[in-house]
Each structure stands twice: as C-alpha cells, then as structure tokens.
Amino acid sequence: MATINGIEQGISCYSYTEQFIKNDDWTIDTVFAHVAAQGVTKVELVGAQTFQQYPVPREDEIQAVLEASHKHGVEVFSYGGYVDLGRVTGHAMSREDILSDIRLDIMTARRLGATFLRATGFGPDLAEAVNAIGEEYGIQIGFEIHAPHTPADPEVAEFMRVIDDKGLKNFGLVPDFGMFIERPTEIAVNRYIGLGAERKNLDWIIANRHNGMSEEEMQAHVASTMNGGYGEKVAISEWFGYLSFAPAELDSFAAMVPYVTYVHGKFYHLERDENGRVYEPTIPYERALSILADGGFQGVFISEYEGHAFYLDDADEQIGRHLTLGRSILESL
Amino acid sequence: MPTKFMKLGFDAHVLRSLRNEATGYVLEVGLNYYRGTPISAVERLELSVDGERIDDDRLLVEINGKYLRLYEVPLAHTEYWGVKTPIHLHVLGAPLAAGPHDVDVVCEARVVYMQFAPGVYGMFDASARATLTVSES
C-alpha cells in the first residue's frame, strides 16, 4: 500500500473477528489472504484472539503466522497485547505481575517479527519500566487510548509528561479513533431493537446519556419507568462502556499527536452518500485525520473495523471503503 | 465507566453438539466473545437440559485435556479458552434418550483486561440455548 504524505495504511486482523470466529475453516492464513487482497502489507495481530493459547502461544501457532506471513507477503507490524488483570480470581496483580505479562507480550512480538506492541492495562507509573523492557527487546510500545477515554483525560497528559520527563524512546501512544464517536451508529440502535428494545426508549437513552445519571441510575430508571427490558439493558451498558459516545475531543488530540507511535483507525460502518462518497456517520474522520497529518504524524494508520459488535459480515467491503476514505482524505491535505 | 453486561453475536456458535458417552453425555460449548479468556474468568456456569437444572456435582468441565469440577473453574487461571477451541461439559449419569433436547447454558465471565476499580471488572454474557439432537447410538 502506498505511503501518502508519510502515512502508510494497514489493517488490524481484528477487523475479521466475525468471520474468524464463526467459520471453523478460517485460520490466520485466511485472514492474511483477505488482507493481501486489499493491497495492504502491514497488519496488527491481536494475540488473545488469534492464538488459542495466550499469553504464551504454542510454537505451532507462531509458525502458522510466520508461514502465512511469508506466503501472502503480509508483515505483522504490530502485536496487540493485553494485561489480563483479572486472570487469577480474587487476586490483584502487582506491579511485577503486570510487567511480567508485558514482557511475555513483547517476547511474542519478537517471535512474530513485529516491531510494535500495542499495550493496555497499566498506568503512567509503569511507563518507564515498560519502556525499559521494550528497549531490551527492540520493540516500540504504544499504549492504547481507547473509548471511553479521550485525549483530554488527565491520564493521557500524565503519560505524555512521563515520556518527556524520562526521555522515553520506546514508549508512545496509540489513539483509537473510536474515542471520537459522537453518536451511536444506526446499526447499533437496530441491534438493540433486535434484542427487544423500543426505539423511543433508545432515543431517550441517547438524549440523556450525559445528563448526569450514573449507569446504575439509568438502568434503574429505564427498567422501572419505561418498561425497559433486555435490549435496553445491553444498550445502556455498552453506551456507558466500550461504545460510549460524546462530542469528539479534537482540540486536545492535536497535543497528543507528537506522542503517537501508530494509529487505530477504528470505525463502525461506512456509508455512501447520494454522490457515492464514503463517510463515517458517527466519527468526524476528516477532522481527526487532518489533525493527525497536520501535527506531523509519520507512520502506520491501521484500519480497524468493529462490525462484529453489530453482527455484520461485511469486513472486506467495509475495509475497502475505509482504505478509500483514508486515502482520499490524506491525498486532499 | 464499565461495560457491565456485554453480549456478542456468536450465540449460534456456542452450543455445538450433544452426544451420549459411556459415563453419561457431553455437550460441546464454544465461546461467545471476541477473544479467548482464561477459563478462571468464568464466574457463573450452569446447565439445564429439557428445563431441568443439572446438579453441579454431576458436571465436569473439560478444557485442554484437563477435567475440572465446577468449583475448580475459577482457580484454573492457566487454562485458556480460545475463541476457536470449544470446551466440553460432561454430565455424569444416565445417557439421554435419542432425539431432540432443549439445552440451556448460563455462562457469565469477567472481561479480564477491563478493570474499573480494584476487583471490579466488566462482564460478558456467553449464555446460550438451543435444541440439539442426540443420535441413535
């Protein structure tokens, strides 16, 4: 995939979650074949999904990735790790426990030939120690800033301060564009209706999402006064959690750009307008991508489709649209 | 701001097969989640067949070739339940009659990486129900 103004497009294998899980015959080889068909060579691979043993994959699982990589001309650019903080029931992970898990992910990244690790699960107080492990193995760590967090969060500012103060060379941030979602997708709304929610209840929840009610208060209110059921329950839970929405924090995004190692171009569903132009109806893509490019970002912009959250089976079409959208924005800058 | 109750769309992939075996019968169970999980994250696991709750003492959970009693599941933090690797629920006792049976699995688990406060995690619901057929042996 061509580099446009210093930005190269890539794909997260996570975009194929729906097909990978539903189809027993899909392997990482299948995923890489689909990526290669999009003309993309760089992928992010999410360990906890791809591998059937995690955090330390079996050797045959690593070999399968390397063989598919070679066969399709696809490079594991970044390895997506997790710190599974709740793995041991009733046990709170210590600082050493967390660093141990990070080290395992970094070791896997090395086995895969990746140069980046996308990390989560710790605070700015561990950034220096994580950076040191990254230096030891020659891996760049990008801490993911994901919804419901935004670039304006004090924790993001603290990460940036630590990177500056300690002069961290192997540590930066990975913004996930899902944090700029300003309204739920129509597909999400329809999904909750499919789970039994009433449209008028969902409209009320959307209108009142930021009225000061806690999630618990809203769950109780909708259940008791609006006859809300299962669909409303799931909607409230997800809209207060990983599908949270709010006016996009774009002003504070500009300050974050110098710390960006690479980008998760999260998107939910791309539509076409009457002129055939592709657009993301819930995320201000033109503005966010422009801020990134204007801020001097040079690196990889990963398309990450989250259609499986809405039971959609259209990853190839959607990823193709996203690559087209990104290319057209970047070429216009 | 936790996602306390995440329900994904892989329900139809959860209850895969039901068959008799020498010691009773066995249910193959896939995971309704976007990634795998250490099985220790499973906080609630219940099985009902034809509307009747199976006593926990009759259940054995088979994962990665190991057999766990139900109380051992939250302890099994080294056993990873991958999204493409079903577990098996063995029910000890009488085999099932050949033909269709209503199967209902309740499975609720921690989202192990999504901690919102000490000991407070997001949750996902991997429960499913289906009618599965036991073939004539």
Side-chain angles (χ1 to χ4, degrees):
Chain A
M1 181 66 55
T3 298
I4 311 156
N5 293 327
I7 298 178
E8 181 175 356
Q9 293 178 300
I11 293 175
S12 171
C13 297
Y14 189 74
S15 304
Y16 290 98
T17 294
E18 182 83 7
Q19 292 89 343
F20 184 73
I21 293 179
K22 278 192 173 171
N23 300 304
D24 288 341
D25 60 344
W26 269 57
T27 65
I28 196 64
D29 185 88
T30 324
V31 175
F32 282 7
H34 281 254
V35 167
Q38 297 278 2
V40 165
T41 59
K42 285 190 168 65
V43 298
E44 177 178 303
L45 184 149
V46 175
Q49 175 178 99
T50 306
F51 298 124
Q52 303 306 295
Q53 180 178 293
Y54 179 81
V56 183
R58 300 187 310 264
E59 184 56 28
D60 65 295
E61 294 188 288
I62 297 284
Q63 286 306 318
V65 173
L66 294 176
E67 284 168 21
S69 187
H70 180 71
K71 177 176 164 189
H72 297 290
V74 169
E75 168 196 347
V76 181
F77 158 79
S78 171
Y79 180 60
Y82 292 92
V83 176
D84 285 347
L85 294 160
R87 183 169 61 231
V88 181
T89 305
H91 174 72
M93 269 195 176
S94 69
R95 175 186 172 93
E96 290 71 27
D97 292 337
I98 292 169
L99 291 175
S100 175
D101 267 21
I102 294 282
R103 184 180 291 273
L104 292 177
D105 280 341
I106 287 175
M107 289 165 60
T108 304
R110 274 287 296 267
R111 291 165 80 190
L112 296 170
T115 49
F116 286 78
L117 172 76
R118 190 263 296 148
T120 63
F122 55 90
D125 57 313
L126 283 186
E128 190 177 12
V130 171
N131 177 78
I133 306 174
E135 283 186 353
E136 188 182 332
Y137 289 85
I139 298 288
Q140 291 283 331
I141 289 97
F143 187 90
E144 185 180 9
I145 309 300
H146 187 283
H149 298 292
T150 75
D153 285 1
E155 190 177 63
V156 176
E158 180 62 9
F159 268 119
M160 296 192 298
R161 189 191 67 76
V162 171
I163 292 167
D164 283 340
D165 286 359
K166 306 289 185 186
L168 305 185
K169 303 291 187 218
N170 284 51
F171 195 94
L173 302 174
V174 173
D176 182 297
F177 271 29
M179 68 186 169
F180 299 131
I181 188 167
E182 296 193 299
R183 65 192 71 85
T185 63
E186 190 61 20
I187 290 159
V189 170
N190 288 331
R191 179 191 157 220
Y192 302 127
I193 290 171
L195 293 175
E198 288 198 38
R199 176 85 201 203
K200 63 179 173 54
N201 290 350
L202 296 174
D203 288 342
W204 185 92
I205 295 165
I206 293 167
N208 288 277
R209 166 65 183 82
H210 295 285
N211 70 359
M213 272 187 177
S214 68
E215 180 181 347
E216 291 77 9
E217 289 166 344
M218 189 172 280
Q219 289 283 15
H221 178 81
V222 170
S224 64
T225 70
M226 302 169 77
N227 201 28
Y230 182 75
E232 285 89 346
K233 178 180 173 182
V234 177
I236 293 168
S237 179
E238 293 185 351
W239 284 343
F240 271 81
Y242 84 120
L243 294 179
S244 185
F245 56 90
E249 278 285 344
L250 290 168
D251 292 344
S252 49
F253 182 47
M256 183 178 159
V257 172
Y259 300 88
V260 172
T261 55
Y262 74 101
V263 183
H264 268 189
K266 170 72 62 59
F267 66 105
Y268 294 100
H269 208 258
L270 294 177
E271 311 294 344
R272 282 190 189 280
D273 66 16
E274 61 275 16
N275 300 316
R277 192 184 66 93
V278 172
Y279 69 104
E280 221 297 359
T282 67
I283 296 171
Y285 249 92
E286 281 82 357
R287 286 161 60 210
L289 204 43
S290 299
I291 290 168
L292 186 73
D294 290 347
F297 171 73
Q298 304 271 285
V300 178
F301 187 87
I302 296 273
S303 293
E304 187 182 64
Y305 180 44
E306 187 107 285
H308 71 270
F310 315 115
Y311 311 171
L312 294 175
D313 189 8
D314 54 0
D316 281 328
E317 179 190 46
Q318 285 290 315
I319 290 166
R321 287 185 178 189
H322 193 254
L323 293 169
T324 302
L325 173 68
R327 196 159 52 237
S328 69
I329 295 171
L330 291 171
E331 286 175 347
S332 71
L333 296 176
Chain B
M1 290 192 286
T3 294
K4 289 184 174 170
F5 187 81
M6 186 186 293
K7 183 73 173 172
L8 295 175
F10 306 107
D11 304 48
H13 212 57
V14 172
L15 300 176
R16 294 172 164 224
S17 71
L18 182 66
R19 60 179 170 78
N20 285 325
E21 58 182 358
T23 55
Y25 56 94
V26 58
L27 175 68
E28 188 180 31
V29 182
L31 183 59
N32 183 5
Y33 193 27
Y34 47 72
R35 51 157 284 187
T37 182
I39 199 169
S40 52
V42 174
E43 297 187 352
R44 185 177 173 208
L45 186 61
E46 298 170 3
L47 172 64
S48 298
V49 177
D50 297 328
E52 185 182 337
R53 171 83 184 271
I54 304 301
D55 191 286
D56 289 353
D57 285 340
R58 288 178 60 203
L59 278 176
L60 278 178
V61 179
E62 181 193 353
I63 179 166
N64 302 328
K66 284 112 178 168
Y67 289 72
L68 308 173
R69 298 204 61 216
L70 221 49
Y71 82 90
E72 293 175 302
V73 168
L75 307 174
H77 60 87
T78 59
E79 300 307 324
Y80 197 73
W81 185 1
V83 289
K84 294 178 84 74
T85 312
I87 62 170
H88 293 83
L89 297 184
H90 296 266
V91 182
L92 308 179
L96 292 169
H101 294 274
D102 293 326
V103 178
D104 187 343
V105 168
V106 175
C107 180
E108 295 173 1
R110 295 191 294 280
V111 179
V112 285
Y113 68 93
M114 206 179 278
Q115 181 180 239
F116 299 100
V120 179
Y121 291 89
M123 297 290 293
F124 69 94
D125 181 358
S127 304
R129 53 194 318 174
T131 300
L132 298 178
T133 300
V134 173
S135 58
E136 300 279 355
S137 52

